Amino acid sequence: VLGTVLFRKKNRPQSEKRIEIFTKLYYNVKYLRRKAGKIMEKTYYLTTPIYYPSGKFHIGTAYTTVLADTIKRYKKLKGYETYLLTGTDEHGQKIEEVAKKQNMKPQEYVDGAAKAAKELWKLMDINYDDFIRTTEGRHEKVVQKIFDRLMDQGDIYKGEYEGWYCVPCESYFTKTQLVDGKCPDCGREVKLMKEECYFFNMKKYAPRLLKYYEEHPDFIKPDYRKTEMINNFIKPGLEDLCVTRTTFDWGIKVPKDPKHVIYVWLDALTNYITALGYMSDDDTLFKKYWPADLHLIGKDIIRFHTIYWPIFLMALDLPLPKQVFGHPWLLQGDGKMSKSKGNVLYADELVDFFGVDAVRYFVLHEMPFENDGVISWELMVERLNSDLANTLGNLVNRTVSMTNKYFGGTVEDKGVVEDVDAELKAVVENASKAVDAKMADLRVADAITEIFNLFKRCNKYIDETTPWVLGKDESKKDRLSTVLWNLIQSISEGARLLESFMPSTSKKILEQLGNGHVTEKPEILFQRMDLEEVMKKVEELHPKVEEKKEEEAVIDIEPKDEITFEQFGAMQFQVGEIIACEAVKKSKKLLCSQVKVGSQVKQIVSGIKAHYTPEEMVGKKVMVLVNLKPAKLAGVLSEGMLLCAEDAEGNLALMTPEKEMPAGAEIC
């Protein structure tokens, strides 16, 4: 007899209460006891970064919010009252310029972009609680209050930003950043200019932030991100942060000095508390949910969320979020995203091809905890056919079909047990614990793998018990009923675990299986796809541009003075592996890479931003001049040099080993 216990968790609002069904296989009825006679009140506040409102969303961008939605759903199933915040960052010079190019007013432009973002989140079945826009009055008013408070208490002061200004690039540079006295980005002439602005005193809070890191080891995840923040940004010395600009108008004005616009991060980051009603007439949500349990962000903006944001909160005398997780990136499988290659992967297009839950499964399953994941049309088709259509879809289809064929759709546990049943039972019972453990560590990809291991074990159970053979022997009918009963209960448990990750699929499975009474006809959960047909449709969406083949050119350069063998021997060249990379702030030319050379990690700044994206850099094996004297470029310390080749047009290509070589291998 299967024991089923129904109860409601008290901490949920009446409108959201739902019946939880707990099943245990092969046991008589067992009642679940309430510890201490009650269930404790629990809340969980989860945020994603607010996105710059651009055109269509690449699937890598949508990953953060799919991940957040999954964690929220899982916490809710565990009895938490949850709150998920997302939104759009709608101020700044770039938006002002983009709107102007499209003959639109900035507000008109961001209105359309925010609408598109909301439609996409709906398409991706993302269950957010609030969508904050930084152009909303509830946000702008509070940002101005925060600015005034920080200025009144001396954390913000007025000063001048002086630097060499490039008019076409609209950017400031220090003297050391210039190349031959000219703009490092475009090569044009620059002139010395000053701009009045307000600064935030970052230096004042740096020691307190380091102490917080030490006392809260789980504040930044993964752990090595904290090391990056300390070694690369805090220990070298935090510079005071420019928090206003006067060279553009689209932004929140400084109340007491309206020619200044509050700039970027002081505006954007504060959305996490303004959305909850901080400094407003109704701060009920703020009191209930702050500090946030988790900020989910991409690794490219972890510095702002783990240095600037904590310091702003310290200045406001507010508690810091409990954890910031800088997840890796989802990279293109065949290199840089390019319309000419036809490899642009947009979230809405992927949903059109594969369906919402298939896309959710893919991005959650293929993103490791610490390293970048890879996505491609080919990999999507492979996963759809093998994991979803075969492992899961075919399993449900066979189980429903056999139950209808042999028992008219209804089976029960006849108690005819064999050793193989206990093995299946052990996998089912351990699955929930394994998923709990993985989710607690934010290892979502590993959690979904545990669920599919359960489904794989169910498929193996079918092969071991051979229901089609049992069905031919009337004396084995009770055993066959028990086998199908075990399958239905095991798959149902897997479907319940799957709910947070693939909500629609979970619901469809449970509706088909019932509780021993299946539907008359199985529903195809995932239809297999032909890769050639998919790629043909993809090419129609993104036609490739044929490149003209040219004869290979040769280049002669002016020879330099000869050097001795001893001079060459003084230079140390090694193979390095790029483990992280980001653009250098205020530079259109520089990328900052973390390069693993042997057991060491060196930070190297390179002028290759026009030729490589940070995403492309990660994972590359490159040739490194290791013993170059360290120097600061654009204010960022560089501890070596990456070797590149350059053609006549100025195109650069990183020099990489012809064969696979370990990081640290000597180049001689």
Side-chain angles (χ1 to χ4, degrees), residues 181-234:
K182 297 181 180 180
C183 174
D185 291 336
C186 69
R188 293 183 174 93
E189 297 292 334
V190 294
K191 54 184 178 180
L192 187 64
M193 290 184 63
K194 292 182 180 180
E195 180 183 1
E196 181 184 88
C197 65
Y198 287 88
F199 291 88
F200 186 97
N201 188 353
M202 304 295 288
K203 300 184 186 75
K204 173 181 174 182
Y205 293 94
R208 184 173 165 186
L209 181 61
L210 277 174
K211 184 179 179 183
Y212 188 87
Y213 284 175
E214 294 171 2
E215 295 175 349
H216 300 81
D218 291 330
F219 176 57
I220 304 175
K221 289 292 182 180
D223 293 332
Y224 69 87
R225 298 288 179 204
K226 178 173 66 177
T227 304
E228 288 178 6
M229 297 304 106
I230 294 172
N231 293 341
N232 297 340
F233 301 107
I234 301 178

Side-chain angles (χ1 to χ4, degrees), residues 19 25 118 218 312 320 343 350 397 549 580 615 637 646 658 666:
I19 296 177
L25 300 176
K118 289 181 178 180
D218 291 330
F312 293 158
L320 273 58
N343 69 347
L350 289 174
N397 187 292
K549 293 184 179 180
E615 295 91 339
L637 184 67
E646 183 177 14
E658 178 190 6
E666 185 178 8

Side-chain angles (χ1 to χ4, degrees), residues 14-64:
Q14 185 64 36
S15 61
E16 295 183 6
K17 284 183 179 177
R18 34 183 306 191
I19 296 177
E20 302 284 353
I21 303 177
F22 291 80
T23 62
K24 284 192 178 286
L25 300 176
Y26 321 105
Y27 286 110
N28 291 330
V29 175
K30 287 188 176 181
Y31 294 96
L32 300 178
R33 294 179 300 166
R34 299 182 185 221
K35 294 182 179 180
K38 63 179 181 179
I39 297 172
M40 299 301 293
E41 180 89 11
K42 296 181 288 185
T43 62
Y44 194 85
Y45 179 37
L46 174 68
T47 76
T48 70
I50 49 177
Y51 295 101
Y52 169 81
S54 55
K56 299 174 72 174
F57 279 75
H58 175 251
I59 187 61
T61 307
Y63 166 75
T64 307

Side-chain angles (χ1 to χ4, degrees), residues 310-342:
I311 286 178
F312 293 158
L313 290 169
M314 288 175 178
L316 293 170
D317 198 25
L318 293 175
L320 273 58
K322 297 174 186 176
Q323 192 170 79
V324 180
F325 177 50
H327 66 72
W329 287 324
L330 198 59
L331 304 180
Q332 299 291 347
D334 53 352
K336 184 180 179 182
M337 183 171 63
S338 167
K339 290 183 178 179
S340 64
K341 292 181 179 179

Side-chain angles (χ1 to χ4, degrees), residues 165-194:
Y165 190 69
C166 174
V167 177
C169 293
E170 295 186 333
S171 298
Y172 280 101
F173 300 97
T174 64
K175 189 173 182 179
T176 57
Q177 289 175 308
L178 302 179
V179 177
D180 296 328
K182 297 181 180 180
C183 174
D185 291 336
C186 69
R188 293 183 174 93
E189 297 292 334
V190 294
K191 54 184 178 180
L192 187 64
M193 290 184 63
K194 292 182 180 180

